[in-house]
Amino acid sequence: MTDETVNIEIDGRPCTARPGQMIIEVTDAQDAYVPRFCYHRKLSIAANCRMCLVEVENVPKPLPACATPVTEGMKVRTRSPMAISAQKATMEFLLINHPLDCPICDQGGECELQDLAMGYGSDVSRYNEGKRVVRDKDLGPLVSTDMTRCIHCTRCVRFGQEIAGIQELGTVGRGEQTEIGTYIERNVGHELSGNIIDLCPVGALNSKPFRYRARSWEMSQHETIAPHDCVGSNLFAHVRRGRLMRVVPRPNDDVNETWISDRDRFSYEGIYAEDRLQSPMIREGDDWRVTDWGTALEAAAAGIKDAMKDLGPARLGFLTSPSATLEEHYLAGRIARGLGSENIDHRLMRRDFSDQDLDPLFPSLGMTLREIGRADAVLLVGCDVRSEAPMLAHRVRQAALSGGRVGTLGVGPSDLTFPVAAESVHPDGDFATGLAAVAASLTPKVELPEAIARLIREAPAGAQHRALAEMLRDGARGLILLGAQAQAHPAFGVIRALAALITQATRATLGYVSPGANSAGGALAGALPHRGVGGVTRKKPGIHAAAMFEQPLSAYLLHGFEPEWDCAAGEKALETLRQAQFVTMLTPYVTDEMVSYAHVLLPTGTFAETGGTFINGEGRWQSFGGVAQPFAEARPAWKVMRVLGNLLDVDGMDYSDVDQVRRELESQTGHLVPDNTFTLPTDLLHRADGRGEAFDHQTLYACDPVVRRASALQATEQGRRGWRRTIQ
């Protein structure tokens, strides 16, 4: 024996384990299955179901494998008569009050109780007393309840306490009267609440939108990637007859562990919204008509060519969603530059482009997600992390619970699910002044631009700013994360310069919570006006997203977004588009606003109906295939762009599949790694006081067109709050 391991025996097979490791962890590693209900590897030990009882030599009674630590020389028997008898007795007690409604239970076919009852249950019950009945709870629009089925494993309770950080469920009563529920009548609606559906080993908690829609054996399972934020959570999509029926987490400890956000879980409802664009459409005068794909694509190509005749390609604008796939970003750039235009962008919510030449190769978190969970100090600047990237908020919470210190600098008091070390509140959104006060407390010894130096000298440093500075200075693994509010700020250049200055005065790194699922992919693929593929600087840069809406261009090609909600100045964007000579939309949906400014509408697939690649905030490439049959006549956007490029006589657009596009791009950029190193500019091009006009940002369930159409999410408390928040 060494200090690091102990020698034990599992069912007669010798093995080693770590001191203090629970028996069930060792048996799992040795592929010796022990039944369980309350145990979950990501939750604390409860040992209240007693299903995992095993025999340990020289111990007179069976012991729970989940709560018994291994010791040197221990001999464990998982299949001995004593163990099997104890497990069967436990199962008999669990089934005393469990209803016999498996045929109508949504959990049927994938129920842990059902599976274990086959192996450890009896075909005859020795109890003829009446079964207890428990009143169902109304937990909101996401989770349905059948509480008579509950076996009190308390997984849902422990998840709220330990993972979500919001204890909305608890145990009341004693003995047979024990119930799981809310202490007061309220919904369970935090951004990770749907995970209790997966945790429930029986049919007590189920997906309300999915309820009674399909059985598990009718569906096929496909791997895919979450399309809504920069975490890139791994998902399983459950499909029946080509239709996406349900989304559940796919375990990946490096990314999302075993959890996903409600936004990733329930957004699939938006795929089949009533306003899906079913067929290509062309405007003729003030009227619209449905047409075939060939006619629509030829009309789109002809309209773009006509718009180029008078003023040339410099008057063409190409805009893609930050949640478009890597391949779609790349092909949009190929079309734009093939026509001679550099006007392409995906940074739709950004307002300040004054220092875009100093942008990183692609925006990254600055650390891997695992490293963020172990960070010593995290400062969130203009970052509502629970709304922007719920699974990133989970990692920040891990850091706080493991001894790290978390501080905030935002427009209001922090709404985090753990105590914060310090917070600096700026209701007017003047993040620059707050960061200047933090920098003043650190007295950085570097030569500063005069504008920055003056801002630091005049900053009213208070106790909270000094606490934030101390937190970052003392941390060996510190991180400053610039969130959506900071990146959408009219003075983003000043904010970033000050944040970078603070990282230089401490051991912290700079990170970005980038919008959408693939902002990193958009930057690498060259969907930028000033950089090409792989970040190569363009000799004659084009105009950025905001400038494309300041004055009408001749023609626009828009892909995957709704300008009124997804652009920084939505109303201005609509006004400008209505004045354009020609607008082509690649969109899954058709809205009243679109028909007022577009000339050709081309129906494209959502994330579930196309294949592609997302690059998440840590620079991880994650490819996926289409999991559902395209809706009506919709086609994957990369295919539409490929054909449109051919009709526009753009060279090199003859791709046979999406993997060919990815391989071509990967050969040029696959070796590149994230680097957020920021060099302070010698002259600050933007106003140095950090104040700007009022600006707004998107809320939790408004990040993209699919989420905005997910009816269950919109029925939650967060969904009813609206899609925009304005900061004066």
Side-chain angles (χ1 to χ4, degrees), residues 88 128 168 216 347 383 467 616:
K88 286 187 174 183
N128 17 19
E168 293 177 322
S216 60
R347 302 165 298 172
C383 181
N616 75 352

Side-chain angles (χ1 to χ4, degrees), residues 17-28:
R18 299 190 311 272
Q21 198 172 12
M22 299 301 167
I23 291 176
I24 200 168
E25 297 178 76
V26 183
T27 56
D28 283 351

